[in-house]
Amino acid sequence: IANMVKSFRVSDLQTLLASMGRSKSGLKHDLVGRALRLVQTEYSPELLKNVRQLYESRFPKASGWLAARRPEGVPVAYSSLSSSPTGTQGADYLNGIPKLSSTPAAEVKLVSLPFYQTLETLLPPTELIAQNSEKLQDSQCIFELTQSQADQVRNSTELRPGMKAIQVVLRICYTDSIGVQEDQYPPNIAVKVNQSYCHVPGYYPSNKPGVEPRRPCRPVNITPWLHLSTATNRATVTWGNFGKRYSVAVYLVRVFTSAELFSQLKHCSVESAERCRERIQDKLRFDPENEIATTGLRVSLICPLVKMRIGVPCRVLTCAHLQCFDAIYFLQMNEKKPTWTCPVCDKQAPFELLTIDGLASEILKETHEDIEEIEYLTDGSWRPIRDEKERERERSNTPDYPVVDICVPEANGHSPAHSSTSQTGKSGAGSTAGGTGGGVVVDLTLDSEEEGGGARGDSDDTEDSQDSPAPKRGRYDYDKDLVTAY
């Protein structure tokens, strides 16, 4: 079976991985390695069946016999039409436009979407059949609503003006019977319902230079253009025929909002704080093969999506990291632009694998909003991590002392005037003598002559000597004549 996997093309590998719920992105050697690991670790009858089907489609044994039996120039996709009786062949055309074959595409299954709950199938997946060699094809599908279905749509609430909660949607995917298929539009797609063109989602603009814009492939809401009665509805799909095979289906669905999905998540998928602590302990458990022991893991409390503090911490069960993101913002963004990828590691993040982290929820409630990061420890506990600015503020929280300006030059650039200098020196000396903090403030602008003159002036002024204590002689514990100025 490993040799079969190694012979697959990229498309075959992607189909195999998607059928088993694995990521199908990456280069061919990545896909081959992922598929081989899948075969080694999860060998099952379903996996074996998928591999054999892909291998047989890649190397069909009876391809020569089929080509000999089939009339020349008639493709395989036309076999269902050619087998119909001659008398009923005219029913395949309506108003000059060929209808879709009534035979559904073989076991094509569309992936379930979190925001859409399928209530009823109005038209099962049916292949778009090219009627000629033109590149632009028109295929028409016809379906009817029962009175009950029409009443459901008519009486449903509105998500917003003009958009019902119960809708009829048209979905298109590749014609492939292996695995579940994601929505995929053919080139040059246009949808007309009862002679009126309906809106098909356009392209997402790309912010990166040189990257082509990507088109979101999602269900097309055709409800506003339908006959909400038992009358026949006609949907015409215009599509580009460039070798790919596509199938179309029509469903009656219930559309959910991001708030409703969040309510489901909150009630059905919350991981307890105890289980989260066990996961942390398992992650930080000592590994003898690892030379460096991990004593803690830092986790940010800021959501990587919106760069704001997380409100409801959410993770993906299959992701290895402990970092969370905000569940509400994640669902809102996927409601507008469905990607369902983890904003931390870019892996697939389907709704059914999302969970709310109970331990992170407790931490967010117990910590102040200024705390942006915490560290998980080996015993499952945690501690807040304060940022550098806050630690700087704590280290600089020392008693304040009077600040003496030692360099106030005049306009001519020379030393300060005697009046200002003597006043500064006097105030500095008074502050030093009167203070009890033990600090000594020295006025470096005084030279030896000015200092001595200032002392003599203070002794001659009797009023000043009575109001303020006499300064210490020289204000030094040693002879100032021995001081060398550099």
Side-chain angles (χ1 to χ4, degrees):
I1 188 172
N3 292 331
M4 291 182 181
V5 170
K6 292 178 182 178
S7 68
F8 286 168
R9 297 168 296 186
V10 171
S11 58
D12 301 328
L13 293 167
Q14 291 175 338
T15 301
L16 175 63
L17 292 169
S19 66
M20 301 303 295
R22 298 295 188 274
S23 172
K24 59 181 182 179
S25 61
L27 301 177
K28 184 176 180 179
H29 64 87
D30 297 326
L31 300 176
V32 172
R34 203 175 302 149
L36 290 176
R37 285 194 298 272
L38 182 65
V39 170
Q40 294 170 358
T41 58
E42 297 188 20
Y43 190 82
S44 64
E46 181 186 1
L47 176 62
L48 180 61
K49 176 185 175 183
N50 292 342
V51 172
R52 284 180 175 174
Q53 287 180 347
L54 282 169
Y55 186 78
E56 290 174 1
S57 64
R58 179 83 171 90
F59 304 102
K61 297 179 181 179
S63 58
W65 180 81
L66 287 175
R69 296 282 304 207
R70 192 185 310 127
E72 185 178 356
V74 179
V76 180
Y78 283 88
S79 59
S80 60
L81 290 177
S82 60
S83 62
S84 59
T86 307
T88 59
Q89 193 170 2
D92 292 326
Y93 293 85
L94 183 66
N95 297 332
I97 300 177
K99 294 194 308 182
L100 291 177
S101 170
S102 58
T103 304
E107 298 181 1
V108 174
K109 296 179 181 179
L110 279 152
V111 65
S112 59
L113 301 175
F115 287 101
Y116 296 86
Q117 178 190 2
T118 301
L119 302 178
E120 295 185 52
T121 300
L122 303 180
L123 179 72
T126 308
E127 188 170 355
L128 297 172
I129 304 297
Q131 302 299 321
N132 49 50
S133 59
E134 297 293 330
K135 293 300 182 184
L136 204 60
Q137 298 286 329
D138 284 331
S139 299
Q140 188 173 89
C141 53
I142 297 176
F143 60 94
E144 296 176 353
L145 299 175
T146 64
Q147 191 60 50
S148 173
Q149 294 167 348
D151 292 339
Q152 273 186 281
V153 176
R154 187 184 299 106
N155 300 328
S156 67
T157 58
E158 288 189 340
L159 301 176
R160 59 176 181 265
M163 178 175 286
K164 296 282 189 178
I166 305 294
Q167 299 178 2
V168 176
V169 297
L170 183 143
R171 299 181 66 181
I172 304 177
C173 66
Y174 287 133
T175 301
D176 196 341
S177 59
I178 299 177
V180 292
Q181 303 301 314
E182 298 178 353
D183 293 69
Q184 185 65 50
Y185 294 158
N188 308 112
I189 183 176
V191 179
K192 183 190 293 185
V193 178
N194 295 329
Q195 305 304 317
S196 297
Y197 283 101
C198 60
H199 172 71
V200 178
Y203 290 89
Y204 289 140
S206 177
N207 297 327
K208 299 179 181 179
V211 178
E212 295 183 1
R214 189 174 61 86
R215 187 168 199 168
C217 298
R218 62 177 70 180
V220 181
N221 180 20
I222 62 175
T223 312
W225 297 274
L226 293 179
H227 301 306
L228 295 181
S229 62
T230 55
T232 301
N233 290 285
R234 299 175 177 85
T236 303
V237 180
T238 302
W239 54 286
N241 181 23
F242 295 95
K244 294 284 188 179
R245 297 168 59 192
Y246 296 89
S247 294
V248 62
V250 181
Y251 300 99
L252 182 71
V253 299
R254 164 81 163 86
V255 181
F256 294 113
T257 62
S258 58
E260 291 172 321
L261 281 190
F262 174 67
S263 179
Q264 294 181 26
L265 183 67
K266 189 170 57 175
H267 287 92
C268 304
S269 184
V270 178
E271 193 172 24
S272 65
E274 290 74 18
R275 179 68 187 94
C276 295
R277 289 189 183 93
E278 292 176 3
R279 177 181 279 106
I280 294 168
Q281 292 172 347
D282 291 341
K283 203 170 186 65
L284 295 178
R285 184 175 288 117
F286 176 69
D287 185 2
E289 297 181 359
N290 191 359
E291 296 180 357
I292 302 175
T294 305
T295 58
L297 283 175
R298 288 192 174 191
V299 173
S300 176
L301 301 182
I302 302 300
C303 176
L305 284 170
V306 291
K307 310 304 180 186
M308 296 170 58
R309 186 177 171 90
I310 298 174
V312 181
C314 182
R315 288 186 300 100
V316 185
L317 289 174
T318 53
C319 289
H321 54 80
L322 299 174
Q323 178 64 52
C324 295
F325 49 88
D326 193 283
I328 297 176
Y329 286 119
F330 182 75
L331 294 175
Q332 288 177 350
M333 293 179 71
N334 279 282
E335 184 178 20
K336 296 179 180 179
K337 183 179 177 180
T339 58
W340 297 105
T341 55
C342 175
V344 179
C345 63
D346 290 331
K347 291 183 179 179
Q348 292 296 311
F351 176 74
E352 57 270 16
L353 292 181
L354 297 180
T355 183
I356 295 176
D357 192 308
L359 178 58
S361 299
E362 292 182 359
I363 293 172
L364 286 164
K365 292 177 182 177
E366 295 175 9
T367 56
H368 193 269
E369 292 185 358
D370 292 340
I371 303 298
E372 297 183 354
E373 194 176 18
I374 58 104
E375 183 179 17
Y376 288 124
L377 305 177
T378 53
D379 59 352
S381 61
W382 59 275
R383 67 180 184 89
I385 297 178
R386 302 181 182 274
D387 58 9
E388 293 296 331
K389 292 182 180 179
E390 188 169 349
R391 287 199 292 267
E392 279 293 331
R393 287 196 298 268
E394 291 179 354
R395 283 197 296 265
S396 63
N397 190 17
T398 56
D400 293 334
Y401 293 100
V403 178
V404 179
D405 193 348
I406 65 172
C407 183
V408 184
E410 294 181 336
N412 58 6
H414 296 292
S415 301
H418 289 282
S419 60
S420 60
T421 304
S422 59
Q423 290 295 328
T424 306
K426 186 183 298 184
S427 62
S431 302
T432 305
T436 58
V440 177
V441 180
V442 180
D443 188 350
L444 300 180
T445 60
L446 296 176
D447 55 18
S448 59
E449 294 180 1
E450 290 174 343
E451 188 175 2
R456 287 192 300 271
D458 290 342
S459 61
D460 296 336
D461 192 350
T462 55
E463 295 181 0
D464 293 341
S465 62
Q466 294 176 359
D467 296 337
S468 59
K472 295 180 181 179
R473 182 180 177 276
R475 294 178 291 175
Y476 298 98
D477 296 333
Y478 47 83
D479 192 348
K480 63 183 177 181
D481 293 334
L482 300 179
V483 177
T484 303
Y486 292 98

